Amino acid sequence: METVAFDQLLMAQQPIFDRNRKLFGYELLFRGEHEEHAVFDNPQMATSQVLVNLCMGISELNTQLRQPFFINMTAELVLSEAFFPISPDTVFIEILENQTITPEFILAIKKWHGLGFRFVLDDYEYSASYQPLLPYMSIVKIDVLSTPPNSIVNEIERLKNLGLKLVAEKVENEAMFMSCLEMGFDYFQGYYLCRPEIVKGRRIESDTQNALRLLNILQDIDVCINEVSKLVAQAPALSFQMLRLLNSPVVGLRVSVSSIKEAVTYLGLTQIKRWTMLIALSANNKSNSTDIRQLLARARCCELIALQSKHINSDEAFMVGLMSGMDAILQIPKSELLQQIKLNSELEDALKQYKGNLGKVLYSVECMERGMLEKLFKLPMGIRNQLSSHYFESLVWSQGILSTLE
């Protein structure tokens, strides 16, 4: 059986427990190259990377996605609207303690709160500037290591009277846990209960250039689904990321598709624009251009063959061609790839066993690509010549696509 090596550092997660020490949720923490602590210069990039890894990365984290996640947000991201494709009932958005609270920021929080998003004040220190935010908060987190709760009894009581839930952060020992429990804290987080757990998996690296190209055309209010679908289809990593989003419980959509256009339609242009912002912020292109050119040519050749057939959908043919080599691009087994996205059964059969008309088209194109002449000579001469013509036309097309990024 194929297995995938979950060996790349995606993030860390620290559990949050309720009064009965039962798991309530996880705070997701950025980790770059260091497992034990976060090292970063750009908090906006760090948050973007956590979100992209959560929703588009490949890991065993999916088994835990029924728990709510606590995700740190900078003011810049809140105002940019970049993270709001996330389903509101899956996350708590943490407002960091060092944010500058402006009238614009308060209005943005009010707006998203009205749409169902839940907010948390992190490391609350009772500054007057945070008071206008309290009506839109669900939870307040208090660092009980730096601010012993018995020194702020009146403040704790005031927050509880406002209907806010309280999280005791940095609970380091049993005595502190019992003290916070007696004072009425609702949730608890800290090394005494559980240290942050490293989440490893496989990052899906996207290329900044294509993300920015997509973001650019999405600025046009008259842009159409077809135009966006075309650009996404020409960028293999972006294609996979959009399909991965459809299968992510955090986003809230679980549908099977048969083409890139269907995926774009389900997500919607507004959702795609917001996710593209995050992808652009966190992107790091490490893909091999030769492999991408070959994969695009394969997908295009499948599409051209389908266009001449009365029985094969050209969008589905392109999708089969594109997904057929995505495992090599992403360096994961094909079985794992197909578990991470949701294609319809006809496409899956074509990809797994070359079944059906789509499977026959894919097999023929791969034979041409690999120079398997003994297989090609079994085809009628007319079809063989047509296949050859389409394949070389596709190579020219794929080279033209990649040359626009140079």
Side-chain angles (χ1 to χ4, degrees):
M1 180 181 290
E2 292 176 300
T3 58
V4 61
F6 292 126
D7 57 0
Q8 294 179 333
L9 187 58
L10 296 184
M11 66 190 85
Q13 58 178 9
Q14 186 169 24
I16 299 171
F17 299 92
D18 67 13
R19 293 177 59 83
N20 297 314
R21 303 198 192 199
K22 186 177 180 180
L23 179 66
F24 171 69
Y26 289 97
E27 179 177 1
L28 300 183
L29 307 167
F30 172 79
R31 292 292 185 268
E33 300 300 323
H34 306 276
E35 291 194 5
E36 295 302 317
H37 55 279
V39 178
F40 56 89
D41 299 319
N42 186 337
Q44 188 166 316
M45 182 281 296
T47 295
S48 301
Q49 187 67 65
V50 167
L51 286 169
V52 169
N53 286 345
L54 173 65
C55 294
M56 299 177 184
I58 299 173
S59 77
E60 295 170 331
L61 190 63
N62 280 354
T63 60
Q64 302 163 348
L65 283 177
R66 293 175 184 168
Q67 306 292 344
F69 288 100
F70 288 65
I71 301 176
N72 296 323
M73 284 290 162
T74 63
E76 290 80 5
L77 277 177
V78 171
L79 292 169
S80 75
E81 305 182 11
F83 73 99
F84 284 104
I86 301 170
S87 180
D89 59 357
T90 62
V91 293
F92 284 94
I93 306 302
E94 290 198 24
I95 306 302
L96 301 176
E97 68 278 5
N98 57 357
Q99 298 301 308
T100 301
I101 308 302
T102 64
E104 293 78 15
F105 182 71
I106 294 169
L107 284 174
I109 295 293
K110 179 180 179 181
K111 170 186 174 183
W112 297 116
H113 176 267
L115 293 173
F117 286 91
R118 299 170 295 181
F119 291 91
V120 178
L121 275 183
D122 190 26
D123 287 345
Y124 183 54
E125 295 180 347
Y126 327 112
S127 168
S129 65
Y130 284 85
Q131 298 308 305
L133 291 177
L134 290 180
Y136 313 115
M137 298 296 113
S138 299
I139 294 175
V140 171
K141 297 178 84 171
I142 296 174
D143 182 343
V144 296
L145 186 62
S146 63
T147 309
N150 56 13
S151 68
I152 51 168
V153 173
N154 292 337
E155 192 63 41
I156 289 174
E157 194 62 31
R158 187 176 76 83
L159 293 172
K160 289 177 68 65
N161 288 338
L162 290 173
L164 293 164
K165 299 291 186 181
L166 302 182
V167 176
E169 271 192 306
K170 298 185 180 177
V171 177
E172 300 288 289
N173 53 53
E174 175 74 13
M176 179 59 76
F177 175 76
M178 295 306 298
S179 174
C180 292
L181 193 65
E182 292 171 7
M183 295 189 69
F185 278 81
D186 302 280
Y187 304 110
F188 307 86
Q189 181 180 15
Y191 284 4
Y192 165 68
L193 295 160
C194 188
R195 298 178 71 89
E197 305 163 351
I198 295 302
V199 178
K200 290 192 175 183
R202 299 288 293 177
R203 289 188 294 271
I204 305 302
E205 308 285 2
S206 59
D207 56 292
T208 310
Q209 290 165 307
N210 271 318
L212 292 176
R213 282 179 66 200
L214 179 56
L215 195 56
N216 185 51
I217 70 167
L218 287 167
Q219 305 308 314
D220 183 355
I221 60 173
D222 296 321
V223 70
C224 66
I225 290 286
N226 285 339
E227 188 176 356
V228 173
S229 302
K230 181 179 178 181
L231 195 154
V232 171
Q234 293 169 2
L238 275 179
S239 296
F240 180 83
Q241 286 174 318
M242 296 307 163
L243 294 170
R244 185 76 184 91
L245 278 176
L246 285 176
N247 202 35
S248 169
V250 177
V251 176
L253 294 170
R254 300 297 291 262
V255 294
S256 61
V257 295
S258 60
S259 68
I260 296 297
K261 184 176 179 180
E262 272 192 36
V264 170
T265 302
Y266 273 118
L267 284 168
L269 297 183
T270 300
Q271 292 272 58
I272 289 175
K273 181 176 180 179
R274 290 168 182 169
W275 276 109
T276 306
M277 291 180 192
L278 288 177
I279 292 168
L281 284 170
S282 62
N284 180 21
N285 183 24
K286 294 181 180 178
S287 299
N288 185 304
S289 61
T290 300
D291 292 340
I292 292 176
R293 181 172 64 250
Q294 185 178 54
L295 185 57
L296 286 173
R298 185 187 305 169
R300 176 61 173 167
C301 190
C302 290
E303 180 184 35
L304 290 176
I305 293 170
L307 285 170
Q308 290 195 324
S309 168
K310 297 179 181 179
H311 310 293
I312 306 173
N313 182 285
S314 59
D315 288 339
E316 293 183 0
F318 187 94
M319 173 74 98
V320 164
L322 193 65
M323 290 300 111
S324 68
M326 194 64 73
D327 53 325
I329 297 291
L330 302 180
Q331 297 183 344
I332 61 173
K334 186 164 288 182
S335 59
E336 183 65 34
L337 174 87
L338 294 176
Q339 286 177 14
Q340 298 293 324
I341 58 179
K342 201 167 180 65
L343 303 177
N344 70 26
S345 57
E346 187 179 356
L347 269 69
E348 282 209 0
D349 288 343
L351 288 166
K352 289 178 178 178
Q353 299 174 314
Y354 297 111
K355 283 187 175 180
N357 290 330
L358 287 171
K360 291 176 183 177
V361 169
L362 175 62
Y363 183 73
S364 298
V365 174
E366 288 186 358
C367 286
M368 173 62 71
E369 182 182 292
R370 296 167 185 168
M372 298 169 64
L373 299 181
E374 72 283 2
K375 302 291 185 182
L376 294 172
F377 281 133
K378 294 180 181 179
L379 296 173
M381 182 177 292
I383 293 178
R384 193 165 67 236
N385 290 339
Q386 196 176 73
L387 176 60
S388 177
S389 174
H390 287 328
Y391 184 69
F392 286 105
E393 180 183 343
S394 299
L395 287 174
V396 173
W397 175 86
S398 64
Q399 182 58 48
I401 293 298
L402 290 182
S403 67
T404 63
L405 301 178
E406 294 175 353

